[in-house]
Amino acid sequence: MAVREIKKDIYAVGALDWERRLFDELIPLPDGTSYNAYLVKGSEKTVLLDTVDPTKGQELRDHLRALNVDKIDYIVAHHGEQDHSGTIPEILELYPEAMVLTNEKCSVILQDLLHIPAAKFRVVQDEETISLGGKTLKFIFTPWVHWPETIVTYLPEDKILFSCDFFSSHLAAGELFARNQSNTYSAAKRFFSEIMMPFRAAIRNNLKRLENLEIEMIAPSHGPVYDNPAIILDAYREWSDEAGVKNEAVIIYVSMHGSTEKMVRVLTEALIKRGVSVKPFRLTVTDTGELAAALVDAATLVVASPAVLGGPHPQVAYAAMLAAALRPRVKFAAIIGSYGWGSKMVEQLGGLLGALKAELLEPVVVKGYPREEHLAALDELAAQIAQRHKSFVTQ
Ligand code: FEO
């Protein structure tokens, strides 16, 4: 990423990662990502807000050199995860006079993860301000966007919120600002589903805390900067609202010899016939980020599996576990599937889905290939789903 001035004396100095395809060895990155870091020059002090993933440390150092930065007074660590903090030790070597500003929780995390000495930290409090000369840093504690220690920084003179993972997108793009609305929206929604969705209650609280700030720009630490922040603020309000589910069902499935697939097709058509929007995901060809994003709005999750060694197919068990860990807003869940001679699939999947706190509908499990009565049971399941959606969904 080239160095760019986003406002007077405020520069984007982070790095693009066009080629990265997996984050945390878990999250697919179809569009790469970026590690945004920002340099703010006051008349008296200079501050670096976050760093970059250690793989891109050279780029950050080059950008600071290009700006002739000979002194950094503070490095703000909004979040302990290494994609933002991992280059702090290198920057401290380069600028040994710099102090790391963060909260107590994050300082402990950084001492543990990066072995930064305790003496290098200046711990800040919630709503504390620090003057840089003509520019002020105001720290706001916003826990659980993404870890418990996360904070954001508000710059009142320029009305910019530096939000780290909060409002981020995994998107490598040449443009600094969010311009391609549909691309930006889908990348932000995907990021929300993968990182923020389990912490909706904290997100709602944090959004409330930001309401009193006059924000003209949101500068996150992945993806585009928003110079029209209403787009992303409104989206976060919608995605974190418990009552916001839509008339949508997500079906995750694997089929080995066609029985479960037949059941999924029949259920899908029966739901469509009743006006329910359906998204089936065959897990052997599914991008889990797309699945996570679909779960943001779904009112129902259906898990469909053949029996393998007496339990669910391992890929279905993995997806059910992942879906439950992401804690989407789904209100209803159902298990369908098939077996040859016996299975504890319903008990095992039911256990995995317990964390969803959704109403578990009557399962439909078939020995062998589905017969007419099984197809009728699937039709009845679709009727139950459609009826329940009427009382819950917004559209
Ligand atoms: Fe972008 Fe939670 O780190």
Side-chain angles (χ1 to χ4, degrees):
M1 193 194 291
V3 173
R4 277 160 296 181
E5 190 173 41
I6 62 173
K7 273 203 168 185
K8 189 168 179 338
D9 293 330
I10 304 170
Y11 302 87
V13 292
L16 288 162
D17 197 339
W18 301 95
E19 289 91 19
R20 191 165 179 179
R21 285 295 173 267
L22 197 61
F23 192 82
D24 285 349
E25 298 301 290
L26 175 66
I27 296 168
L29 302 177
D31 301 306
T33 191
S34 68
Y35 317 107
N36 305 343
Y38 302 93
L39 188 85
V40 179
K41 288 182 173 175
S43 60
E44 293 159 20
K45 294 190 187 303
T46 298
V47 61
L48 177 65
L49 295 141
D50 291 320
T51 64
V52 297
D53 190 88
T55 55
K56 298 289 179 183
Q58 183 64 51
E59 278 187 49
L60 176 59
R61 292 197 304 275
D62 289 347
H63 293 160
L64 296 174
R65 199 170 299 120
L67 286 171
N68 298 315
V69 178
D70 52 14
K71 184 167 186 264
I72 289 178
D73 297 279
Y74 302 123
I75 304 165
V76 173
H78 290 120
H79 176 23
E81 194 165 14
Q82 292 91 328
D83 51 326
H84 311 293
S85 69
T87 307
I88 292 176
E90 274 180 65
I91 299 298
L92 286 174
E93 272 185 34
L94 213 54
Y95 299 93
E97 69 283 13
M99 293 293 288
V100 181
L101 298 178
T102 191
N103 63 5
E104 178 68 30
K105 271 188 188 161
C106 191
S107 80
V108 172
I109 287 173
L110 294 179
Q111 288 170 57
D112 289 340
L113 290 181
L114 301 175
H115 299 178
I116 298 172
K120 290 306 297 176
F121 290 92
R122 173 170 163 195
V123 167
V124 299
Q125 306 303 318
D126 191 19
E127 303 208 355
E128 185 174 338
T129 57
I130 289 183
S131 175
L132 305 177
K135 293 189 189 292
T136 309
L137 305 176
K138 179 174 184 175
F139 305 103
I140 301 165
F141 289 13
T142 49
W144 297 109
V145 293
H146 160 210
W147 289 358
E149 85 294 5
T150 45
I151 64 174
V152 299
T153 299
Y154 180 62
L155 206 61
E157 292 83 0
D158 295 280
K159 301 182 174 61
I160 302 180
L161 183 76
F162 296 95
S163 60
C164 203
D165 275 350
F166 205 10
F167 309 119
S168 274
S169 312
H170 282 309
L171 187 61
E175 306 79 33
L176 181 65
F177 292 101
R179 290 289 178 261
N180 179 336
Q181 301 291 351
S182 69
N183 193 18
T184 301
Y185 184 88
S186 60
K189 188 173 189 179
R190 191 177 167 116
F191 189 96
F192 175 91
S193 70
E194 294 160 334
I195 306 291
M196 304 290 160
M197 190 157 65
F199 311 118
R200 285 192 302 282
I203 303 285
R204 290 193 297 274
N205 287 338
N206 291 329
L207 288 171
K208 270 200 199 98
R209 295 209 61 202
L210 301 182
E211 274 172 8
N212 296 328
L213 303 178
E214 202 180 333
I215 300 172
E216 286 184 357
M217 192 180 287
I218 292 181
S221 290
H222 301 284
V225 173
Y226 294 88
D227 53 1
N228 178 5
I231 295 170
I232 192 70
L233 287 167
D234 288 348
Y236 263 64
R237 281 187 202 106
E238 182 193 329
W239 298 333
S240 61
D241 176 2
E242 287 310 306
V245 290
K246 297 185 175 163
N247 186 18
E248 293 178 12
V250 163
I251 306 177
I252 55 176
Y253 78 100
V254 166
S255 185
M256 296 192 298
H257 299 290
S259 294
T260 304
E261 183 171 17
K262 169 77 175 174
M263 297 175 76
V264 168
R265 295 284 164 249
V266 167
L267 180 62
T268 299
E269 287 188 17
L271 287 166
I272 290 171
K273 196 172 72 184
R274 289 173 172 81
V276 178
S277 177
V278 194
K279 289 179 183 167
F281 289 91
R282 187 175 194 125
L283 293 169
T284 46
V285 293
T286 288
D287 170 332
T288 50
E290 267 180 50
L291 168 59
L295 287 170
V296 172
D297 294 328
T300 293
L301 171 65
V302 178
V303 178
S305 180
V308 176
L309 299 171
H313 190 286
Q315 280 192 263
V316 178
Y318 169 72
M321 190 180 174
L322 188 63
L326 292 173
R327 295 203 289 278
R329 297 180 288 188
V330 294
K331 308 296 181 194
F332 313 102
I335 297 163
I336 66 173
S338 57
Y339 64 96
W341 53 89
S343 156
K344 296 239 180 277
M345 192 165 72
V346 171
E347 295 88 325
Q348 291 180 14
L349 286 174
L352 290 174
L353 295 175
L356 286 177
K357 299 195 170 31
E359 180 189 350
L360 207 52
L361 305 177
E362 192 64 32
V364 181
V365 179
V366 172
K367 185 169 187 294
Y369 199 72
R371 299 171 192 275
E372 279 307 313
E373 67 263 33
H374 305 126
L375 304 185
L378 290 166
D379 197 62
E380 174 56 25
L381 176 59
Q384 294 287 327
I385 291 170
Q387 190 214 350
R388 279 167 170 77
H389 279 200
K390 287 198 173 83
S391 60
F392 267 94
V393 299
T394 53
Q395 55 180 285

